[in-house]
Amino acid sequence: MKTLTDNWSTYWEGFLGTLSLFAVSAVLSLVLGMVIAGFRVSPVRPLRAFGTVWVTVLRNTPLTLLFFIVVLGLPRFNITLPFYTFAVLALGCYTSAFVCESMRSGINTVPSGQGEAARSLGMSFGQTMGLVVLPQAYRSVVAPLGSVMIALAKNTAIAGSFSVTELLGTYRTINELGYSIIWTFVWIAVGYLIITLSISAVFNLLERRVAVSR
Amino acid sequence: MTVESSALYDIPGPKALARHRLYGGIALLLIAALIGWVVYMLFHTHQFTYAKWEPFEYQGVQDLLLRGLGNTLRAFGWTVLFALPFGALFAAGRLSDHRVVRWFATLVVEFFRAMPLLVMIFFVFVALKVQPLWALVAGLVLYNGSVLAEVFRAGVLAVPKGQREAAYALGMRKTQVMTYVLVPQANRAMLPAIISQLVVALKDTSLGFLITFEEFLHAGKLIATNLDYDLPFIPVVIVIAPIYIGMCLLLSWLARWVERRSRRSPSVRGGAPVAEAGVAMGLPPSAQQ
């Protein structure tokens, strides 16, 4: 029985595919999530409503359905992009809702007196946010954001089953070549463990860096 | 009271109001343009022709969708049934006094939380050659059960320390302390977190679609790819998506309602609501997706 280790190049390709899909989607979701979080606290009502709808819809839609819509649906509108772009779009939008919520919950951990005090000192909304609230909030954003990022890394697997170069997609190829199924899964598990544990290690480090000594 | 309350900006004066209205107007225009473009595209690609919507009038198609929805709910039901005891068992294992038991439980919980759910489902389906429904349920139980184990453990640890000490001081044994004092108090505080994890499980049943389990999304795909019905892809999405979103919102709403109720009841006060627990091996609990 051959195992995956005889075929490093394919495995490596899948591993890097997963990593790059994760990295690009992560950047997109962080940017989008911040923008939407900004919408949700803005005094402009239509923007607030848009943010609320965005988060509610995406948090309550299965990611599989989202892929289903983006991958099979957008081409109906004669929008044809490479699959990778579709995958990043679906993952990024989906994750942005969770990023947005982590940020909001982080902002909510700052005692409301802080904001009020800043306002009563005559600071503008921007100053209050930028100089008082956010510097205190970002500490409590790190932990939930870590969870969100790990979930994103795991969700890249779903993209694979909609056929993209990625660990699970690699598994199919390898299976067709007659490798042992169990060992293939073991190696896939190792790949994902490396990725998820690295992400959580990075976030643990960040958490220690920003921790307040009380 | 949160920071987001109105204390952050003053009640806008006439100038600010005018500015907000301007921004609001621009935002509304943009959103309207976006919606308009989507609707235009839908019409432009003939999504609202009778042919594409006709299938929903057929008894057979309705049955297919209902059967799919039933299968989704069945997988969800089995998952809830098995995941809750699984979570309780492994939470107890992680809180055990015996090192071996603790290590074993930790290893299991951490591993299943670090693995993509889809990989586990595939493994049970492909390598162990299990039927689609049970492969899906097995994966869902392992993953959500592990997350629930963390929720339970955090809940028990969040009960104020004095409760445990008082119970021991009365001469109760560990089992009694757990069953009579800690778990009942933890339960109330944990309920919202448990329900939001169930929302995750409900959403994840749609992964069954990828291992040919005939659930809701699968039924949708069958209809959407049917040439006889003129490939009614968009109509299918318009029918299916709101149902998924509605089901999840219902559960989320239930979680919020429970939370509000428990906050009012005096017996839970003191036990902080369980947010998320830190973890030994360093995987933060991903109790949101």
mmCIF file of all heavy atoms in Angstrom, chain B residues 50-94:
data_model
loop_
_atom_site.group_PDB
_atom_site.id
_atom_site.type_symbol
_atom_site.label_atom_id
_atom_site.label_comp_id
_atom_site.label_asym_id
_atom_site.label_seq_id
_atom_site.Cartn_x
_atom_site.Cartn_y
_atom_site.Cartn_z
ATOM 1 N N TYR B 50 -42.494 32.258 -16.002
ATOM 2 C CA TYR B 50 -43.377 31.265 -15.394
ATOM 3 C C TYR B 50 -42.728 29.885 -15.373
ATOM 4 O O TYR B 50 -42.835 29.147 -14.401
ATOM 5 C CB TYR B 50 -44.699 31.228 -16.171
ATOM 6 C CG TYR B 50 -45.671 30.230 -15.614
ATOM 7 C CD1 TYR B 50 -46.211 30.396 -14.338
ATOM 8 C CD2 TYR B 50 -46.059 29.112 -16.349
ATOM 9 C CE1 TYR B 50 -47.096 29.495 -13.815
ATOM 10 C CE2 TYR B 50 -46.951 28.195 -15.832
ATOM 11 C CZ TYR B 50 -47.465 28.386 -14.562
ATOM 12 O OH TYR B 50 -48.332 27.476 -14.033
ATOM 13 N N ALA B 51 -42.006 29.586 -16.448
ATOM 14 C CA ALA B 51 -41.408 28.246 -16.577
ATOM 15 C C ALA B 51 -40.508 27.916 -15.393
ATOM 16 O O ALA B 51 -40.446 26.781 -14.934
ATOM 17 C CB ALA B 51 -40.618 28.155 -17.877
ATOM 18 N N LYS B 52 -39.801 28.939 -14.899
ATOM 19 C CA LYS B 52 -38.843 28.683 -13.829
ATOM 20 C C LYS B 52 -39.538 28.516 -12.475
ATOM 21 O O LYS B 52 -38.984 27.943 -11.548
ATOM 22 C CB LYS B 52 -37.829 29.824 -13.747
ATOM 23 C CG LYS B 52 -36.737 29.727 -14.795
ATOM 24 C CD LYS B 52 -35.505 30.460 -14.336
ATOM 25 C CE LYS B 52 -34.566 30.801 -15.463
ATOM 26 N NZ LYS B 52 -33.884 29.686 -16.073
ATOM 27 N N TRP B 53 -40.713 29.081 -12.335
ATOM 28 C CA TRP B 53 -41.404 29.009 -11.042
ATOM 29 C C TRP B 53 -42.475 27.929 -11.021
ATOM 30 O O TRP B 53 -42.943 27.537 -9.960
ATOM 31 C CB TRP B 53 -42.008 30.371 -10.692
ATOM 32 C CG TRP B 53 -40.944 31.320 -10.287
ATOM 33 C CD1 TRP B 53 -40.190 32.111 -11.108
ATOM 34 C CD2 TRP B 53 -40.451 31.542 -8.964
ATOM 35 N NE1 TRP B 53 -39.273 32.816 -10.376
ATOM 36 C CE2 TRP B 53 -39.410 32.500 -9.054
ATOM 37 C CE3 TRP B 53 -40.784 31.048 -7.704
ATOM 38 C CZ2 TRP B 53 -38.699 32.944 -7.939
ATOM 39 C CZ3 TRP B 53 -40.094 31.492 -6.593
ATOM 40 C CH2 TRP B 53 -39.059 32.437 -6.717
ATOM 41 N N GLU B 54 -42.838 27.492 -12.208
ATOM 42 C CA GLU B 54 -43.891 26.491 -12.323
ATOM 43 C C GLU B 54 -43.623 25.233 -11.490
ATOM 44 O O GLU B 54 -44.535 24.711 -10.850
ATOM 45 C CB GLU B 54 -44.052 26.134 -13.804
ATOM 46 C CG GLU B 54 -45.251 25.292 -14.102
ATOM 47 C CD GLU B 54 -45.206 24.771 -15.522
ATOM 48 O OE1 GLU B 54 -44.115 24.811 -16.147
ATOM 49 O OE2 GLU B 54 -46.243 24.311 -15.973
ATOM 50 N N PRO B 55 -42.358 24.724 -11.483
ATOM 51 C CA PRO B 55 -42.130 23.471 -10.752
ATOM 52 C C PRO B 55 -42.627 23.497 -9.310
ATOM 53 O O PRO B 55 -43.030 22.462 -8.798
ATOM 54 C CB PRO B 55 -40.611 23.296 -10.802
ATOM 55 C CG PRO B 55 -40.068 24.493 -11.446
ATOM 56 C CD PRO B 55 -41.166 25.138 -12.189
ATOM 57 N N PHE B 56 -42.605 24.686 -8.685
ATOM 58 C CA PHE B 56 -43.017 24.734 -7.286
ATOM 59 C C PHE B 56 -44.504 24.441 -7.108
ATOM 60 O O PHE B 56 -44.979 24.252 -6.006
ATOM 61 C CB PHE B 56 -42.658 26.093 -6.668
ATOM 62 C CG PHE B 56 -41.181 26.294 -6.576
ATOM 63 C CD1 PHE B 56 -40.533 27.184 -7.417
ATOM 64 C CD2 PHE B 56 -40.430 25.563 -5.663
ATOM 65 C CE1 PHE B 56 -39.156 27.349 -7.344
ATOM 66 C CE2 PHE B 56 -39.061 25.737 -5.589
ATOM 67 C CZ PHE B 56 -38.422 26.621 -6.437
ATOM 68 N N GLU B 57 -45.223 24.429 -8.236
ATOM 69 C CA GLU B 57 -46.643 24.101 -8.132
ATOM 70 C C GLU B 57 -46.869 22.599 -8.148
ATOM 71 O O GLU B 57 -47.945 22.121 -7.834
ATOM 72 C CB GLU B 57 -47.411 24.735 -9.299
ATOM 73 C CG GLU B 57 -47.481 26.252 -9.205
ATOM 74 C CD GLU B 57 -48.167 26.865 -10.404
ATOM 75 O OE1 GLU B 57 -48.659 26.103 -11.268
ATOM 76 O OE2 GLU B 57 -48.211 28.100 -10.481
ATOM 77 N N TYR B 58 -45.852 21.864 -8.564
ATOM 78 C CA TYR B 58 -46.033 20.407 -8.666
ATOM 79 C C TYR B 58 -45.980 19.762 -7.301
ATOM 80 O O TYR B 58 -45.117 20.075 -6.480
ATOM 81 C CB TYR B 58 -44.935 19.779 -9.540
ATOM 82 C CG TYR B 58 -44.904 20.264 -10.959
ATOM 83 C CD1 TYR B 58 -43.730 20.234 -11.707
ATOM 84 C CD2 TYR B 58 -46.062 20.744 -11.577
ATOM 85 C CE1 TYR B 58 -43.690 20.675 -13.003
ATOM 86 C CE2 TYR B 58 -46.027 21.199 -12.879
ATOM 87 C CZ TYR B 58 -44.835 21.167 -13.592
ATOM 88 O OH TYR B 58 -44.794 21.616 -14.870
ATOM 89 N N GLN B 59 -46.879 18.829 -7.098
ATOM 90 C CA GLN B 59 -46.907 18.055 -5.864
ATOM 91 C C GLN B 59 -45.558 17.389 -5.619
ATOM 92 O O GLN B 59 -45.017 17.426 -4.515
ATOM 93 C CB GLN B 59 -48.007 16.987 -5.975
ATOM 94 C CG GLN B 59 -48.284 16.248 -4.690
ATOM 95 C CD GLN B 59 -49.021 17.139 -3.696
ATOM 96 O OE1 GLN B 59 -49.932 17.870 -4.072
ATOM 97 N NE2 GLN B 59 -48.619 17.085 -2.445
ATOM 98 N N GLY B 60 -45.002 16.796 -6.684
ATOM 99 C CA GLY B 60 -43.755 16.035 -6.550
ATOM 100 C C GLY B 60 -42.607 16.897 -6.052
ATOM 101 O O GLY B 60 -41.844 16.493 -5.180
ATOM 102 N N VAL B 61 -42.517 18.110 -6.609
ATOM 103 C CA VAL B 61 -41.431 19.011 -6.226
ATOM 104 C C VAL B 61 -41.599 19.466 -4.781
ATOM 105 O O VAL B 61 -40.651 19.501 -4.006
ATOM 106 C CB VAL B 61 -41.375 20.223 -7.183
ATOM 107 C CG1 VAL B 61 -40.441 21.295 -6.646
ATOM 108 C CG2 VAL B 61 -40.931 19.770 -8.556
ATOM 109 N N GLN B 62 -42.846 19.772 -4.420
ATOM 110 C CA GLN B 62 -43.105 20.186 -3.039
ATOM 111 C C GLN B 62 -42.735 19.066 -2.079
ATOM 112 O O GLN B 62 -42.109 19.282 -1.040
ATOM 113 C CB GLN B 62 -44.572 20.568 -2.863
ATOM 114 C CG GLN B 62 -44.920 21.878 -3.550
ATOM 115 C CD GLN B 62 -46.420 22.111 -3.605
ATOM 116 O OE1 GLN B 62 -47.200 21.325 -3.083
ATOM 117 N NE2 GLN B 62 -46.823 23.190 -4.258
ATOM 118 N N ASP B 63 -43.124 17.832 -2.458
ATOM 119 C CA ASP B 63 -42.793 16.686 -1.616
ATOM 120 C C ASP B 63 -41.285 16.528 -1.470
ATOM 121 O O ASP B 63 -40.781 16.251 -0.387
ATOM 122 C CB ASP B 63 -43.390 15.398 -2.209
ATOM 123 C CG ASP B 63 -44.873 15.304 -1.924
ATOM 124 O OD1 ASP B 63 -45.357 16.113 -1.110
ATOM 125 O OD2 ASP B 63 -45.546 14.444 -2.521
ATOM 126 N N LEU B 64 -40.591 16.705 -2.609
ATOM 127 C CA LEU B 64 -39.130 16.558 -2.606
ATOM 128 C C LEU B 64 -38.507 17.546 -1.613
ATOM 129 O O LEU B 64 -37.654 17.185 -0.790
ATOM 130 C CB LEU B 64 -38.589 16.818 -4.013
ATOM 131 C CG LEU B 64 -37.092 16.637 -4.232
ATOM 132 C CD1 LEU B 64 -36.732 15.166 -4.144
ATOM 133 C CD2 LEU B 64 -36.666 17.192 -5.581
ATOM 134 N N LEU B 65 -38.962 18.808 -1.690
ATOM 135 C CA LEU B 65 -38.433 19.828 -0.787
ATOM 136 C C LEU B 65 -38.775 19.502 0.669
ATOM 137 O O LEU B 65 -37.935 19.624 1.554
ATOM 138 C CB LEU B 65 -38.987 21.217 -1.156
ATOM 139 C CG LEU B 65 -38.293 21.895 -2.334
ATOM 140 C CD1 LEU B 65 -39.021 23.176 -2.717
ATOM 141 C CD2 LEU B 65 -36.843 22.227 -1.993
ATOM 142 N N LEU B 66 -40.006 19.088 0.891
ATOM 143 C CA LEU B 66 -40.421 18.776 2.263
ATOM 144 C C LEU B 66 -39.649 17.585 2.810
ATOM 145 O O LEU B 66 -39.247 17.571 3.967
ATOM 146 C CB LEU B 66 -41.921 18.505 2.322
ATOM 147 C CG LEU B 66 -42.795 19.758 2.328
ATOM 148 C CD1 LEU B 66 -44.271 19.396 2.322
ATOM 149 C CD2 LEU B 66 -42.479 20.617 3.558
ATOM 150 N N ARG B 67 -39.440 16.578 1.945
ATOM 151 C CA ARG B 67 -38.651 15.422 2.376
ATOM 152 C C ARG B 67 -37.242 15.858 2.745
ATOM 153 O O ARG B 67 -36.683 15.421 3.743
ATOM 154 C CB ARG B 67 -38.584 14.371 1.261
ATOM 155 C CG ARG B 67 -39.443 13.151 1.498
ATOM 156 C CD ARG B 67 -38.909 11.917 0.770
ATOM 157 N NE ARG B 67 -38.450 12.197 -0.573
ATOM 158 C CZ ARG B 67 -39.273 12.281 -1.634
ATOM 159 N NH1 ARG B 67 -40.566 12.114 -1.475
ATOM 160 N NH2 ARG B 67 -38.783 12.534 -2.831
ATOM 161 N N GLY B 68 -36.672 16.743 1.901
ATOM 162 C CA GLY B 68 -35.329 17.253 2.189
ATOM 163 C C GLY B 68 -35.289 17.979 3.517
ATOM 164 O O GLY B 68 -34.401 17.746 4.344
ATOM 165 N N LEU B 69 -36.290 18.830 3.735
ATOM 166 C CA LEU B 69 -36.356 19.584 4.986
ATOM 167 C C LEU B 69 -36.501 18.615 6.161
ATOM 168 O O LEU B 69 -35.853 18.769 7.202
ATOM 169 C CB LEU B 69 -37.540 20.553 4.941
ATOM 170 C CG LEU B 69 -37.623 21.579 6.066
ATOM 171 C CD1 LEU B 69 -36.366 22.418 6.120
ATOM 172 C CD2 LEU B 69 -38.836 22.475 5.894
ATOM 173 N N GLY B 70 -37.323 17.599 5.970
ATOM 174 C CA GLY B 70 -37.498 16.584 7.011
ATOM 175 C C GLY B 70 -36.188 15.892 7.337
ATOM 176 O O GLY B 70 -35.857 15.682 8.507
ATOM 177 N N ASN B 71 -35.428 15.545 6.295
ATOM 178 C CA ASN B 71 -34.134 14.885 6.512
ATOM 179 C C ASN B 71 -33.160 15.793 7.245
ATOM 180 O O ASN B 71 -32.407 15.339 8.109
ATOM 181 C CB ASN B 71 -33.520 14.449 5.178
ATOM 182 C CG ASN B 71 -34.076 13.112 4.740
ATOM 183 O OD1 ASN B 71 -34.507 12.317 5.568
ATOM 184 N ND2 ASN B 71 -34.077 12.859 3.441
ATOM 185 N N THR B 72 -33.163 17.081 6.872
ATOM 186 C CA THR B 72 -32.308 18.043 7.570
ATOM 187 C C THR B 72 -32.651 18.060 9.056
ATOM 188 O O THR B 72 -31.771 17.972 9.918
ATOM 189 C CB THR B 72 -32.496 19.450 6.967
ATOM 190 O OG1 THR B 72 -31.857 19.491 5.694
ATOM 191 C CG2 THR B 72 -31.895 20.519 7.856
ATOM 192 N N LEU B 73 -33.954 18.141 9.346
ATOM 193 C CA LEU B 73 -34.378 18.205 10.740
ATOM 194 C C LEU B 73 -34.098 16.891 11.466
ATOM 195 O O LEU B 73 -33.783 16.879 12.653
ATOM 196 C CB LEU B 73 -35.869 18.555 10.823
ATOM 197 C CG LEU B 73 -36.179 19.988 10.396
ATOM 198 C CD1 LEU B 73 -37.677 20.247 10.374
ATOM 199 C CD2 LEU B 73 -35.501 20.985 11.339
ATOM 200 N N ARG B 74 -34.187 15.770 10.723
ATOM 201 C CA ARG B 74 -33.903 14.481 11.349
ATOM 202 C C ARG B 74 -32.431 14.403 11.769
ATOM 203 O O ARG B 74 -32.110 14.014 12.890
ATOM 204 C CB ARG B 74 -34.215 13.354 10.378
ATOM 205 C CG ARG B 74 -34.838 12.163 11.058
ATOM 206 C CD ARG B 74 -35.330 11.170 10.079
ATOM 207 N NE ARG B 74 -34.271 10.786 9.148
ATOM 208 C CZ ARG B 74 -34.461 9.949 8.136
ATOM 209 N NH1 ARG B 74 -35.635 9.439 7.921
ATOM 210 N NH2 ARG B 74 -33.462 9.628 7.331
ATOM 211 N N ALA B 75 -31.540 14.798 10.832
ATOM 212 C CA ALA B 75 -30.113 14.790 11.162
ATOM 213 C C ALA B 75 -29.849 15.702 12.359
ATOM 214 O O ALA B 75 -29.087 15.363 13.269
ATOM 215 C CB ALA B 75 -29.295 15.256 9.964
ATOM 216 N N PHE B 76 -30.526 16.851 12.370
ATOM 217 C CA PHE B 76 -30.362 17.806 13.463
ATOM 218 C C PHE B 76 -30.836 17.198 14.785
ATOM 219 O O PHE B 76 -30.156 17.296 15.809
ATOM 220 C CB PHE B 76 -31.138 19.088 13.150
ATOM 221 C CG PHE B 76 -31.100 20.106 14.258
ATOM 222 C CD1 PHE B 76 -29.899 20.689 14.634
ATOM 223 C CD2 PHE B 76 -32.254 20.483 14.920
ATOM 224 C CE1 PHE B 76 -29.852 21.626 15.648
ATOM 225 C CE2 PHE B 76 -32.218 21.426 15.946
ATOM 226 C CZ PHE B 76 -31.015 21.995 16.297
ATOM 227 N N GLY B 77 -31.989 16.532 14.753
ATOM 228 C CA GLY B 77 -32.543 15.918 15.959
ATOM 229 C C GLY B 77 -31.606 14.877 16.559
ATOM 230 O O GLY B 77 -31.303 14.903 17.753
ATOM 231 N N TRP B 78 -31.109 13.965 15.700
ATOM 232 C CA TRP B 78 -30.171 12.943 16.179
ATOM 233 C C TRP B 78 -28.921 13.597 16.750
ATOM 234 O O TRP B 78 -28.381 13.149 17.770
ATOM 235 C CB TRP B 78 -29.769 11.997 15.044
ATOM 236 C CG TRP B 78 -30.824 10.997 14.696
ATOM 237 C CD1 TRP B 78 -31.489 10.897 13.510
ATOM 238 C CD2 TRP B 78 -31.347 9.954 15.543
ATOM 239 N NE1 TRP B 78 -32.392 9.862 13.567
ATOM 240 C CE2 TRP B 78 -32.324 9.263 14.794
ATOM 241 C CE3 TRP B 78 -31.086 9.555 16.851
ATOM 242 C CZ2 TRP B 78 -33.031 8.190 15.306
ATOM 243 C CZ3 TRP B 78 -31.792 8.482 17.373
ATOM 244 C CH2 TRP B 78 -32.760 7.800 16.605
ATOM 245 N N THR B 79 -28.457 14.659 16.081
ATOM 246 C CA THR B 79 -27.245 15.339 16.554
ATOM 247 C C THR B 79 -27.448 15.879 17.962
ATOM 248 O O THR B 79 -26.615 15.662 18.842
ATOM 249 C CB THR B 79 -26.872 16.490 15.601
ATOM 250 O OG1 THR B 79 -26.691 15.954 14.305
ATOM 251 C CG2 THR B 79 -25.610 17.183 16.057
ATOM 252 N N VAL B 80 -28.580 16.576 18.174
ATOM 253 C CA VAL B 80 -28.853 17.138 19.501
ATOM 254 C C VAL B 80 -28.908 16.014 20.531
ATOM 255 O O VAL B 80 -28.315 16.101 21.609
ATOM 256 C CB VAL B 80 -30.185 17.919 19.493
ATOM 257 C CG1 VAL B 80 -30.532 18.401 20.896
ATOM 258 C CG2 VAL B 80 -30.097 19.093 18.540
ATOM 259 N N LEU B 81 -29.600 14.939 20.161
ATOM 260 C CA LEU B 81 -29.793 13.813 21.071
ATOM 261 C C LEU B 81 -28.460 13.224 21.548
ATOM 262 O O LEU B 81 -28.301 12.882 22.720
ATOM 263 C CB LEU B 81 -30.612 12.739 20.363
ATOM 264 C CG LEU B 81 -31.262 11.700 21.263
ATOM 265 C CD1 LEU B 81 -32.361 12.353 22.090
ATOM 266 C CD2 LEU B 81 -31.849 10.570 20.423
ATOM 267 N N PHE B 82 -27.505 13.092 20.624
ATOM 268 C CA PHE B 82 -26.224 12.464 20.993
ATOM 269 C C PHE B 82 -25.186 13.461 21.485
ATOM 270 O O PHE B 82 -24.344 13.124 22.313
ATOM 271 C CB PHE B 82 -25.645 11.690 19.806
ATOM 272 C CG PHE B 82 -26.412 10.448 19.478
ATOM 273 C CD1 PHE B 82 -26.904 10.247 18.191
ATOM 274 C CD2 PHE B 82 -26.652 9.482 20.438
ATOM 275 C CE1 PHE B 82 -27.622 9.103 17.876
ATOM 276 C CE2 PHE B 82 -27.372 8.335 20.133
ATOM 277 C CZ PHE B 82 -27.858 8.150 18.849
ATOM 278 N N ALA B 83 -25.233 14.688 20.940
ATOM 279 C CA ALA B 83 -24.163 15.642 21.256
ATOM 280 C C ALA B 83 -24.238 16.113 22.709
ATOM 281 O O ALA B 83 -23.206 16.324 23.338
ATOM 282 C CB ALA B 83 -24.220 16.837 20.307
ATOM 283 N N LEU B 84 -25.456 16.269 23.232
ATOM 284 C CA LEU B 84 -25.578 16.755 24.606
ATOM 285 C C LEU B 84 -24.960 15.787 25.612
ATOM 286 O O LEU B 84 -24.112 16.193 26.415
ATOM 287 C CB LEU B 84 -27.038 17.066 24.941
ATOM 288 C CG LEU B 84 -27.598 18.306 24.222
ATOM 289 C CD1 LEU B 84 -29.098 18.435 24.421
ATOM 290 C CD2 LEU B 84 -26.907 19.580 24.706
ATOM 291 N N PRO B 85 -25.331 14.475 25.585
ATOM 292 C CA PRO B 85 -24.655 13.544 26.507
ATOM 293 C C PRO B 85 -23.152 13.450 26.252
ATOM 294 O O PRO B 85 -22.363 13.377 27.202
ATOM 295 C CB PRO B 85 -25.325 12.198 26.236
ATOM 296 C CG PRO B 85 -26.399 12.416 25.261
ATOM 297 C CD PRO B 85 -26.417 13.833 24.837
ATOM 298 N N PHE B 86 -22.748 13.485 24.979
ATOM 299 C CA PHE B 86 -21.326 13.438 24.639
ATOM 300 C C PHE B 86 -20.604 14.600 25.319
ATOM 301 O O PHE B 86 -19.565 14.426 25.957
ATOM 302 C CB PHE B 86 -21.159 13.510 23.117
ATOM 303 C CG PHE B 86 -19.732 13.451 22.632
ATOM 304 C CD1 PHE B 86 -19.196 12.269 22.158
ATOM 305 C CD2 PHE B 86 -18.922 14.590 22.631
ATOM 306 C CE1 PHE B 86 -17.886 12.207 21.696
ATOM 307 C CE2 PHE B 86 -17.611 14.541 22.180
ATOM 308 C CZ PHE B 86 -17.106 13.342 21.712
ATOM 309 N N GLY B 87 -21.183 15.781 25.186
ATOM 310 C CA GLY B 87 -20.587 16.964 25.795
ATOM 311 C C GLY B 87 -20.507 16.837 27.302
ATOM 312 O O GLY B 87 -19.474 17.139 27.913
ATOM 313 N N ALA B 88 -21.606 16.360 27.911
ATOM 314 C CA ALA B 88 -21.630 16.219 29.369
ATOM 315 C C ALA B 88 -20.565 15.239 29.833
ATOM 316 O O ALA B 88 -19.814 15.497 30.783
ATOM 317 C CB ALA B 88 -23.018 15.753 29.816
ATOM 318 N N LEU B 89 -20.479 14.107 29.117
ATOM 319 C CA LEU B 89 -19.523 13.066 29.479
ATOM 320 C C LEU B 89 -18.090 13.595 29.439
ATOM 321 O O LEU B 89 -17.305 13.419 30.374
ATOM 322 C CB LEU B 89 -19.674 11.884 28.511
ATOM 323 C CG LEU B 89 -18.866 10.645 28.828
ATOM 324 C CD1 LEU B 89 -19.485 9.937 30.020
ATOM 325 C CD2 LEU B 89 -18.842 9.695 27.627
ATOM 326 N N PHE B 90 -17.745 14.277 28.346
ATOM 327 C CA PHE B 90 -16.362 14.732 28.201
ATOM 328 C C PHE B 90 -16.056 15.938 29.077
ATOM 329 O O PHE B 90 -14.912 16.127 29.490
ATOM 330 C CB PHE B 90 -16.032 14.987 26.732
ATOM 331 C CG PHE B 90 -15.673 13.711 26.023
ATOM 332 C CD1 PHE B 90 -16.666 12.921 25.462
ATOM 333 C CD2 PHE B 90 -14.368 13.268 25.960
ATOM 334 C CE1 PHE B 90 -16.352 11.731 24.841
ATOM 335 C CE2 PHE B 90 -14.045 12.080 25.341
ATOM 336 C CZ PHE B 90 -15.043 11.307 24.780
ATOM 337 N N ALA B 91 -17.085 16.743 29.382
ATOM 338 C CA ALA B 91 -16.865 17.829 30.336
ATOM 339 C C ALA B 91 -16.535 17.228 31.699
ATOM 340 O O ALA B 91 -15.601 17.669 32.379
ATOM 341 C CB ALA B 91 -18.111 18.707 30.426
ATOM 342 N N ALA B 92 -17.296 16.201 32.083
ATOM 343 C CA ALA B 92 -17.022 15.515 33.351
ATOM 344 C C ALA B 92 -15.617 14.933 33.325
ATOM 345 O O ALA B 92 -14.873 15.011 34.307
ATOM 346 C CB ALA B 92 -18.057 14.415 33.580
ATOM 347 N N GLY B 93 -15.233 14.364 32.159
ATOM 348 C CA GLY B 93 -13.895 13.790 32.026
ATOM 349 C C GLY B 93 -12.812 14.838 32.226
ATOM 350 O O GLY B 93 -11.797 14.585 32.884
ATOM 351 N N ARG B 94 -13.053 16.045 31.678
ATOM 352 C CA ARG B 94 -12.031 17.088 31.794
ATOM 353 C C ARG B 94 -11.960 17.646 33.206
ATOM 354 O O ARG B 94 -10.962 18.243 33.595
ATOM 355 C CB ARG B 94 -12.319 18.219 30.808
ATOM 356 C CG ARG B 94 -12.108 17.789 29.371
ATOM 357 C CD ARG B 94 -11.818 18.959 28.487
ATOM 358 N NE ARG B 94 -10.560 19.600 28.823
ATOM 359 C CZ ARG B 94 -10.068 20.627 28.159
ATOM 360 N NH1 ARG B 94 -10.710 21.111 27.136
ATOM 361 N NH2 ARG B 94 -8.925 21.172 28.508
#
